[in-house]
Amino acid sequence: MKKEELLKKIGEQIRVIRIEKGLTQKQLAHLIGKDQQSIQRLEAGNINPSYIYLCEIADGLNISLLDILNSLPT
Amino acid sequence: MKKEELLKKIGEQIRVIRIEKGLTQKQLAHLIGKDQQSIQRLEAGNINPSYIYLCEIADGLNISLLDILNSLPT
DNA sequence: ATATCGCACAACGGATACGTTGTATTGAGC
DNA sequence: GCTCAATACAACGTATCCGTTGTGCGATAT
């Protein structure tokens, strides 16, 4: 699968989960010491987040990274 | 969990799976268009690999990223 | 009309990943 | 002894991530 697709899909999935949790981009960002723009780029698939970054996101969403990847559309 | 621990654990897990598959660092590297030193740093936990990088590693190991994360020691 | 909120996009800069090269170490085998 | 394979470590350059700042746009509320 193409790199851009992978980033788009995980970004969309993170957005879905964030909204399920009732959080705004800003709220999620502040939970993990980042800013809203960082979350925006991540959700838009504009960046290739590091492993640690993904772990932090999962932490902010109060789920495991496995849960995020598990629910990815194939 | 500390960042260094997370990187060490996923690195060790990748090493375990690589060896299970009977591959050397160099062989795995060449499968995904990288060099041996990159794999060495990844397995040693010296770098914070990107999502795409992890997907490539999983691809080279012929498993899914989920399988790698699933078997991580807690 | 104006303010506020959520989201998107661009540019800058510091930090870091990654490829490359070179070198060292260890162990197996001749 | 020597050679080769596998792994590890360091340094350099380039590319990219990520935080920050600023701007803009639509929707809603006052």
Side-chain angles (χ1 to χ4, degrees), chain A residues 44-63:
Chain A
N46 292 331
I47 61 168
N48 181 11
S50 70
Y51 176 58
I52 296 297
Y53 194 89
L54 291 176
C55 289
E56 290 170 344
I57 290 288
D59 199 53
L61 292 172
N62 208 31
I63 61 178

Side-chain angles (χ1 to χ4, degrees), chain B residues 34-35 37-38 41 47-48:
Chain B
K34 306 195 181 302
D35 66 356
Q37 280 74 3
S38 285
R41 281 180 294 194
I47 60 169
N48 180 10

Side-chain angles (χ1 to χ4, degrees), chain A residues 34-72:
Chain A
K34 305 194 182 301
D35 65 356
Q36 177 260 331
Q37 280 75 3
S38 286
I39 307 298
Q40 192 274 327
R41 281 179 295 193
L42 172 65
E43 293 185 352
N46 292 331
I47 61 168
N48 181 11
S50 70
Y51 176 58
I52 296 297
Y53 194 89
L54 291 176
C55 289
E56 290 170 344
I57 290 288
D59 199 53
L61 292 172
N62 208 31
I63 61 178
S64 81
L65 180 51
L66 269 170
D67 292 330
I68 296 178
L69 298 178
N70 245 319
S71 45
L72 274 184

